[in-house]
Amino acid sequence: MELLMSIVIGIVFSVTIYLFMSKDLLRVVAATLLLSHAVHLLLLTMSGLQRGAAPVLSFEAEAYTDPLPQALVLTAIVIAFAVTALLLVMSYRTYKVHKTDDLEELRGSADE
């Protein structure tokens, strides 16, 4: 299962790099969202995909899962949501002010 997850993570990272190299501002925001999801998958995969009971006060289970990677990913999801919302607002404001979302046009000219 870890091999399959590693391949999926590699695909998501490669799509993210492709989107980062585009000229559209909204695609760059989508790339940051995909990058955060790829990192979440990477954290869960590196911690080991284990089956077991939740570590709640019960002694009947044979194995327990580690709650620390899940807590880290949950915190990272909240942070990624906030960063994505901020980037969306900033890109909307940039579009309203400059009337374009093309990064080449936003760069300006060489004589500025």
Side-chain angles (χ1 to χ4, degrees):
M1 188 66 164
E2 282 88 2
L3 179 65
L4 177 66
M5 289 301 290
S6 298
I7 292 170
V8 169
I9 291 168
I11 290 170
V12 174
F13 269 116
S14 62
V15 169
T16 299
I17 296 301
Y18 174 76
L19 287 176
F20 268 131
M21 294 189 316
S22 69
K23 295 180 182 179
D24 190 14
L25 190 59
L26 193 59
R27 288 186 183 186
V28 173
V29 172
T32 59
L33 182 67
L34 275 176
L35 181 66
S36 68
H37 286 310
V39 170
H40 300 157
L41 287 173
L42 182 66
L43 282 174
L44 284 178
T45 304
M46 292 302 292
S47 68
L49 301 174
Q50 303 170 356
R51 293 180 185 244
V56 186
L57 298 171
S58 65
F59 299 107
E60 298 89 31
E62 301 169 1
Y64 294 102
T65 58
D66 188 14
L68 185 62
Q70 297 171 8
L72 286 173
V73 169
L74 184 63
T75 305
I77 288 171
V78 172
I79 293 169
F81 178 72
V83 168
T84 304
L86 177 70
L87 286 175
L88 282 173
V89 168
M90 288 175 58
S91 62
Y92 177 72
R93 179 73 179 146
T94 302
Y95 178 75
K96 284 299 225 184
V97 169
H98 297 288
K99 303 288 191 248
T100 185
D101 63 346
D102 188 12
L103 292 175
E104 291 295 324
E105 292 178 16
L106 289 173
R107 179 177 294 170
S109 62
D111 59 341
E112 289 183 330

